[in-house]
Amino acid sequence: MTVHPITIMGEPVLHRRARPVEAFDDELRALIADLFETMDTANGVGLAAPQIGVGLRIFVYGMENDDDVPPRGVLVNPTLVTSKVPGSDPDPEEEAEGCLSVPGEAFPLKRAEWTRVTGFDGDGSPVEFEATGWFARCMQHEYDHLDGRLYVDRLNAKYTRRARKAMKNNGWGIPGLTWMPGVDPDPFGH
């Protein structure tokens, strides 16, 4: 297992739709192991392959939940169906979201409270479950990475302005920027 550098917004792989996984083989199992190792070292609750520079439709998660879903898992070629996203403003205390590819920043974002997730595990066996609350938020966040979207792309106008200012102040938005979990300081202070 290898810890990989995490790409920072501006890296092209983060901003384009990932390709479907076609082979469930040892190479895929090695990628899954690396994703888990990188996520754990970064103190994350989810990590998508594009975040380590691999443009494939796969993500891992590690999050306790109230939905009787194993707290650690992998989703290959997933699909999501969600409930409606409320139209109200996000609560800055209760709905702030962060991302390892937008290191050290957090902005409030409304997400659907429920989602149905389908896909495959690392061996190609079907996976299907429902997620609620923060677990549903995690599934939506990681799935967005597979479609070339970051959570900051979904912010309302007020928080978009703040996010753009943070991106400019951090010098992000250009290719080639990464941070290394376990080497660089933890951007979220874990």
Side-chain angles (χ1 to χ4, degrees):
M1 293 182 292
T2 303
V3 175
H4 291 261
I6 295 178
T7 58
I8 295 175
M9 67 174 308
E11 186 63 33
V13 71
L14 290 173
H15 305 285
R16 64 176 171 249
R17 184 174 171 82
R19 299 177 321 276
V21 171
E22 295 180 3
F24 292 83
D25 55 14
D26 288 341
E27 189 175 323
L28 178 65
R29 283 184 278 284
L31 173 60
I32 292 167
D34 289 354
L35 283 166
F36 275 118
E37 186 73 14
T38 303
M39 177 185 73
D40 291 343
T41 304
N43 297 305
V45 296
L47 188 67
Q51 292 182 273
I52 63 166
V54 178
L56 291 174
R57 297 187 73 75
I58 178 172
F59 69 80
V60 297
Y61 67 87
M63 185 177 211
E64 295 293 329
N65 61 81
D66 296 324
D67 301 307
D68 296 323
V69 176
R72 286 175 70 80
V74 59
L75 285 157
V76 179
N77 298 336
T79 60
L80 262 64
V81 175
T82 66
S83 60
K84 185 178 178 185
V85 177
S88 56
D89 285 338
D91 182 316
E93 300 296 320
E94 299 295 322
E95 296 177 303
E97 198 166 309
C99 179
L100 296 173
S101 290
V102 186
E105 302 293 338
F107 299 98
L109 175 64
K110 279 287 186 194
R111 292 273 193 187
E113 283 292 317
W114 171 92
T115 185
R116 176 182 303 280
V117 181
T118 58
F120 300 92
D121 67 15
D123 296 317
S125 298
V127 174
E128 183 175 349
F129 59 84
E130 293 181 7
T132 59
W134 274 92
F135 188 46
R137 178 180 292 270
C138 177
M139 295 298 104
Q140 293 166 76
H141 179 111
E142 298 308 327
Y143 183 82
D144 274 353
H145 280 299
L146 306 183
D147 283 344
R149 293 185 81 165
L150 299 174
Y151 86 102
V152 293
D153 297 328
R154 292 189 177 274
L155 299 175
N156 67 21
K158 174 183 176 181
Y159 294 112
T160 294
R161 285 189 299 276
R162 291 182 185 180
R164 285 185 181 149
K165 184 177 181 180
M167 304 317 133
K168 183 178 179 182
N169 290 342
N170 285 305
W172 299 337
I174 59 172
L177 300 177
T178 63
W179 69 277
M180 187 66 183
V183 175
D184 293 327
D186 184 324
F188 292 99
H190 295 111

